[in-house]
Every structure is written in structure tokens, then in C-alpha cells.
Amino acid sequence: MKRISLTILIMLAVTIAAMAESIVDRATKAVKNAPSLTATFRINGSDGRLVMSGACFRLEVPQMQTAFDGTTQFTLNEADSELTLTTPTLEEIAAINPLAFIGNLRSNFTASTLSDGRIRFVPTADGTDLEEIVTAFDSETAMPVIVTMRTSAGEILIDHIKVTRGSRTIPASAFTIKQDKGTTTIDLR
């Protein structure tokens, strides 16, 4: 009887791991194959919007805008009237862009399935500010519906996620932020 129970538990664990791989593979494929994606969501209780095309994205949340053109990240802090330019790492992009981590799951994260069906992603690189990402995926669309990111600065909850697939690629030039009058530019590239 113990041998049968152990066999059933092993088969269940393998099935759950395969399900995680299946949804992760589907999500990765959906993001990589989309010419562009637009997502609306709530981040720690505030409304936000994300548009992405390939590696490029534009994120708008209250008092802040972030855009990445594939090389340079532009971050506009509206309260301080500062535009900061940086060259981010993949981990930094994943911490900012709620969908960016999906495209890099296999190469930059280790996935495991939690008992409630959510999937936990841990960065494979040491020394990153991003500690983990826990995500629940829609079984039909393979898109995330809720994401919790734990960083060295604290926890970020992204929920009420609605993702729409665009029919065209958006040029990288659309993913910049122009400096307005009275805005200070800080170039950290």
C-alpha cells in the first residue's frame, strides 16, 4: 500500500511539473509570437498600462512613466520632473515590466509549481534585486492574471491583468520619453 501511495505521489508531482512547463511554454510562445501586446492592470492598488512589442515596452503608472527601446530605459518621475536614462539588465527589466519575464523564463528563471497551482519563478543569477516572481496564469490564454514580485525593496502586487494582442509590430522609436521643458535629464548609461 505504501509503495502504491508513493507511486501515486510521484506521478502527481511529475504531472504538476509538466503542467507548469506546459503553461510556461504556452505563455512564452504567446508573448514571443505577438507582434505587440497591451495590458491594463492594477499595481499595488493603482491603475497602470503596459504596451510592448518585442523587447520594447512602455509602462505608465501614477506619477511615473518608463519606456525601453531595446537598449535605453527612460524613466520619467513626474513628481520630481526628472527623466533618467539607463541601460538596464534583464533582471531590472523583469522587475519593471510585468510581462517581460515571460519571454526570458527558460533562460533566466527556475520555475516550480506551488500547491495552489501558481508558478514560482526564481532568477538563476545571484546578486539580483529580484528575489522571486509568483504568477497565476489563465489556462485558456496562457497570460498572467496575477503577479507578485518580491524584490529587495519590497513586494509588488499586480492584479486585474487584461492582455490584448495587437496585430502589428510597434517601432522601437515609439518607446522613448521626450524631455519636457523644466524636466531635468539624468544620464546614467
Side-chain angles (χ1 to χ4, degrees):
M1 186 67 166
K2 281 187 176 183
R3 178 177 268 173
I4 293 173
S5 296
L6 182 59
T7 303
I8 290 171
L9 285 175
I10 291 171
M11 289 173 55
L12 182 60
V14 169
T15 302
I16 289 171
M19 286 172 44
E21 264 191 49
S22 174
I23 195 77
V24 169
D25 290 340
R26 286 181 51 219
T28 301
K29 187 175 181 179
V31 168
K32 286 188 176 186
N33 291 339
S36 62
L37 294 170
T38 300
T40 58
F41 55 87
R42 293 188 51 85
I43 182 166
N44 291 340
S46 297
D47 291 332
R49 182 173 183 266
L50 170 73
V51 177
M52 63 183 290
S53 184
C56 304
F57 69 89
R58 183 179 189 99
L59 174 66
E60 298 168 358
V61 294
Q63 297 295 309
M64 187 176 296
Q65 295 180 42
T66 301
F68 178 66
D69 65 4
T71 304
T72 302
Q73 180 175 298
F74 304 79
T75 304
L76 177 62
N77 181 329
E78 294 171 3
D80 295 337
S81 297
E82 290 180 348
L83 177 63
T84 304
L85 308 176
T86 60
T87 305
T89 65
L90 290 174
E91 290 83 12
E92 289 169 333
I93 292 169
I96 295 165
N97 180 346
L99 296 178
F101 75 94
I102 293 174
N104 299 304
L105 288 176
R106 290 284 175 231
S107 58
N108 297 309
F109 294 89
T110 301
S112 60
T113 303
L114 302 176
S115 60
D116 62 3
R118 294 176 304 152
I119 300 176
R120 179 177 184 247
F121 301 98
V122 178
T124 54
D126 291 332
T128 172
D129 288 339
L130 182 60
E131 296 171 9
E132 74 173 3
I133 300 171
V134 177
T135 305
F137 290 92
D138 181 291
S139 60
E140 290 181 29
T141 67
M143 287 292 147
V145 292
I146 187 167
V147 176
T148 303
M149 292 188 283
R150 194 173 53 174
T151 69
S152 59
E155 192 168 281
I156 301 166
L157 172 65
I158 304 166
D159 59 358
H160 295 82
I161 301 170
K162 294 180 183 155
V163 181
T164 307
R165 181 185 163 109
S167 60
R168 288 187 231 143
T169 301
I170 302 170
S173 60
F175 297 98
T176 62
I177 298 174
K178 303 291 183 213
Q179 182 179 3
D180 291 332
K181 263 189 174 175
T183 301
T184 304
T185 298
I186 302 166
D187 194 336
L188 301 175
R189 295 176 286 177

